[in-house]
Amino acid sequence: VDRRDAPPPLGLDGVPSRDDRALTPAEVRNRLRELQALCDGEKEALLFVSGVDGKYNDGARKVLNYLLHGCCGSEIYSASRSLEEFDEVVLVVSASDCFLYLGGSNVFWKMAPLLGQVGDMQLLGATPEEEEDMDRFEERKIIAFLHAIEPFKGVGVELSPSSDATANTKAPGAMELEKWPLVQVYGVEELGKKGFFTMRHRITDVAPLLPRVYLQLDRRAAEQIILYHVDMLAFHWATSLDALDHMQPNDRLRVSEATLIDPALSY
């Protein structure tokens, strides 16, 4: 190949642009049903608590990426979108319904047009008056959490990878849950509860089960592959070939395979 006749490098100007389409109620409903399918006699409900109340549990971040942000594939594990905005979320998913506490009124009304159309989803948020009083704001969240989780004896939670989690409530993994600030209020006598959360509920680690949900090729994931990822892969492949076109024949022999394919591997 004559380098003088070769086209200029693709450069960043050729990178495919991405325009994420907004989630639809149908997509949220379908993804919610996939989570509900994990519920059974052992784990009657799934519990996710975001922010400081859940000790920044990584499982809560991933489920919000999946259910509320519409992330797909590896993005579910890597993206950190609107963390502060969803810092007060409590999500309880059972086989028949879903309870979602969104925190402040701004977040509630922002998400209401989307989530309000999803059947079997109960939305709750603090009022502007409660937001002005921190004690009332926290009380509203605590009462909502206790009301949502109380009917279920078996609760599934994504525990940290280092936890040796089993269904035994005395296992070290299950006791990780007792360190969550929101869960610690469970035994407060003024709220009418007796004992620790793990004494009243059977805990199951659902971390091994969630990847099969997150990595499914649903409609939204397929759409992102077709409209964005295929073009992005083609761009990086063309970048690798373009590098060869701009080398003298002798120089090509000294290029390692790893260097040549690096654009595609990095993608």
Side-chain angles (χ1 to χ4, degrees), residues 104 153 166 185 195:
K153 298 302 180 183
T166 68
V185 306

Side-chain angles (χ1 to χ4, degrees), residues 35-231:
L35 293 172
Q36 290 177 314
L38 297 179
C39 298
D40 53 27
E42 180 182 4
K43 44 190 183 303
E44 302 167 70
L46 309 179
L47 171 64
F48 302 93
V49 181
S50 69
V52 65
D53 286 317
K55 288 202 71 173
Y56 299 99
N57 176 256
D58 199 48
R61 179 185 63 83
K62 287 183 285 189
V63 79
L64 292 181
N65 282 342
Y66 172 74
L67 189 62
L68 302 186
H69 293 306
C71 294
C72 303
S74 61
E75 286 185 342
I76 295 172
Y77 295 85
S78 60
S80 299
R81 301 187 179 183
S82 306
L83 289 182
E84 294 183 1
E85 186 177 28
F86 291 95
D87 204 31
E88 304 284 348
V89 169
V90 178
L91 174 65
V92 179
V93 178
S94 68
S96 59
D97 55 23
C98 169
F99 170 86
L100 179 60
Y101 178 84
L102 289 168
S105 58
N106 288 338
V107 180
F108 178 89
W109 290 113
K110 175 182 178 180
M111 302 302 297
L114 170 66
L115 303 179
Q117 302 181 57
V118 179
D120 301 327
M121 177 176 282
Q122 179 184 355
L123 297 180
L124 188 65
T127 65
E129 292 76 16
E130 289 170 334
E131 290 181 89
E132 294 176 0
D133 186 331
M134 185 56 65
D135 290 337
R136 291 181 60 192
F137 181 80
E138 292 298 325
E139 181 182 4
R140 179 62 173 268
K141 177 171 52 180
I142 291 170
I143 293 176
F145 162 66
L146 295 175
H147 175 76
I149 203 65
E150 182 62 20
F152 308 108
K153 298 302 180 183
V155 179
V157 182
E158 179 171 344
L159 301 173
S160 62
S162 61
S163 297
D164 182 19
T166 68
N168 184 352
T169 59
K170 295 184 179 179
M175 292 307 296
E176 173 193 332
L177 200 62
E178 295 289 358
K179 299 179 181 179
W180 292 9
L182 186 61
V183 170
Q184 288 176 343
V185 306
Y186 199 85
V188 177
E189 294 185 3
E190 288 79 359
L191 297 174
K193 304 301 174 185
K194 303 293 183 181
F196 295 104
F197 185 89
T198 51
M199 293 175 60
R200 297 176 61 89
H201 300 275
R202 182 178 61 256
I203 308 303
T204 301
D205 183 15
V206 295
L209 304 178
L210 288 170
R212 78 183 189 195
V213 173
Y214 295 155
L215 300 180
Q216 287 191 78
L217 187 64
D218 59 13
R219 174 181 174 178
R220 185 172 182 84
E223 185 179 80
Q224 286 197 9
I225 290 174
I226 295 171
L227 299 181
Y228 174 72
H229 291 289
V230 169
D231 288 343

Side-chain angles (χ1 to χ4, degrees), residues 21 45 84 86 193 239-240 260:
R21 177 179 54 78
E84 294 183 1
F86 291 95
K193 304 301 174 185
T239 301
S240 298
L260 182 62

